[in-house]
Amino acid sequence: MTNLATLTMNPTIDVSFEVDRMFPTHKNRGRDERHDPGGGGINVARVFARLGGNARCFYLAGGAAGAALDVLMDRHGLVRCRIDIDGETRVAMAVLDRETGLQYRLVADGPEIGPEKAEECLALLETADFDYLVASGTLPRGLPDDFYARVAALATKRGKRMVLDSSGRGLAHGLAGGNIFLAKPSLEELRALCGRRLETDEEIAEAGREIVGQGKCEHLAVTLGSDGAFLINAQGALRLPAVPVESVSAVGSGDSFVAAMIFGLASGREIEDAFRLALAAGAAAVLTPGTDLARADDIYRLYAAAKAQA
Ligand SMILES: Nc1ncnc2c1ncn2[C@@H]1O[C@H](COP(=O)(O)OP(=O)(O)OP(=O)(O)O)[C@@H](O)[C@H]1O
Ligand SMILES: [Mg+2]
């Protein structure tokens, strides 16, 4: 059995609910409130476990919200490996405006982290049992730029595969050292990374080929929301459309995508087939309301439907 470890340096408590209509000033009274443990790596672990895999979450947590996050993770049956911090874990809100169908997502920066936490994490990962390590989410304030690159170097040295899904400096500096098996920027994240507008498919593919060609990662999945995704590696660039679905909430499509891609590989699929499973998972995530993530039966149903179409 393949073991996954995920690393979430800036987790959240994800709160979601619906209002009839969003107004400023007035209280926006909501219903159907949900609380979920969140943050990139934690979300990836949730979907990986739903698919039947073993996942362990390494994450930073602190304060009253940190204690609540632990409880939520236990409720979801997640295997926890917590690193204590002094600050307060953040809370993120997703509010659906029923009248317009628009979803508002409010996400604070999160606490500043002391640089010694980087060493604590690295020491834990040095002996942790995993085959794939997913570092996902923003790199919090206070941690050095090269943190993900150091994590990737550690994983590679141990003969493990490192997956990076981050943005901004976390992505740029994480890729700089190589040692990444799979990176998953969204198109916006890739544009920011390259400092180019990347308007056409050819420009996206070319930017991806450059990154792979420079040895920064072995595989690059560039996700385009409802337009599908690219998979770029030494074999070339493959673009597939999204699996068409009625979108309810976009929360967690990227994380569901990553989880299914690794689960696909871990269960012996070829990379292209794992990529197809990932597209199905991204689509399955938008079917679920609020901060809920992709469900296994939806993933397999959409995967089979897309395959039948192809
Ligand atoms: N509306 C949609 N319909 C069908 N599939 C979708 C839709 N939105 C996303 N997906 C699928 O999920 C994948 C990942 O979505 P997206 O590109 O939005 O990731 P992301 O920007 O990383 O998301 P996140 O907000 O979770 O970080 C897409 O490549 C696509 O396959
Ligand atoms: Mg993302």
Side-chain angles (χ1 to χ4, degrees), residues 105 165 184 186 189 223-226 228-229 242-245 247 250-255 257 279 282-283 286:
R105 295 169 72 177
D165 180 0
K184 193 223 79 64
S186 64
E189 288 160 353
T223 59
L224 317 168
S226 58
V243 183
V245 287
S247 174
V251 176
S253 50
D255 301 328
F257 180 102
L279 283 154
V286 308

Side-chain angles (χ1 to χ4, degrees), residues 127-160:
T127 54
D129 178 25
F130 61 83
D131 304 291
Y132 284 83
L133 174 62
V134 177
S136 177
T138 47
L139 191 59
R141 287 175 296 145
L143 285 182
D145 285 345
D146 69 350
F147 176 66
Y148 287 143
R150 289 182 64 194
V151 173
L154 178 156
T156 304
K157 192 189 76 190
R158 294 191 55 201
K160 317 293 184 191

Side-chain angles (χ1 to χ4, degrees), residues 34-174:
R34 291 181 56 102
H35 292 78
D36 286 292
I42 291 171
N43 288 341
V44 171
R46 282 173 64 194
V47 177
F48 195 81
R50 283 179 181 186
L51 286 165
N54 284 331
R56 174 181 296 271
C57 301
F58 291 83
Y59 64 107
L60 304 188
L69 176 64
D70 291 350
V71 175
L72 287 170
M73 290 178 71
D74 289 342
R75 251 185 229 167
H76 283 265
L78 293 168
V79 182
R80 302 196 284 108
C81 225
R82 172 180 160 146
I83 298 143
D84 291 319
I85 56 165
D86 292 334
E88 183 81 23
T89 294
R90 62 188 176 157
V91 176
M93 308 278 291
V95 181
L96 178 69
D97 178 324
R98 269 276 156 217
E99 197 171 308
T100 60
L102 297 174
Q103 189 184 48
Y104 295 84
R105 295 169 72 177
L106 310 177
V107 186
D109 244 7
E112 179 155 2
I113 306 300
E116 72 285 358
K117 293 295 159 190
E119 307 309 321
E120 216 175 308
C121 272
L122 288 161
L124 278 174
L125 293 172
E126 192 67 61
T127 54
D129 178 25
F130 61 83
D131 304 291
Y132 284 83
L133 174 62
V134 177
S136 177
T138 47
L139 191 59
R141 287 175 296 145
L143 285 182
D145 285 345
D146 69 350
F147 176 66
Y148 287 143
R150 289 182 64 194
V151 173
L154 178 156
T156 304
K157 192 189 76 190
R158 294 191 55 201
K160 317 293 184 191
R161 285 175 165 177
M162 169 83 183
V163 179
L164 180 64
D165 180 0
S166 190
S167 54
R169 68 188 182 105
L171 176 64
H173 294 269

Side-chain angles (χ1 to χ4, degrees), residues 233-244:
N233 52 31
Q235 277 68 55
L238 169 68
R239 177 176 177 170
L240 290 180
V243 183

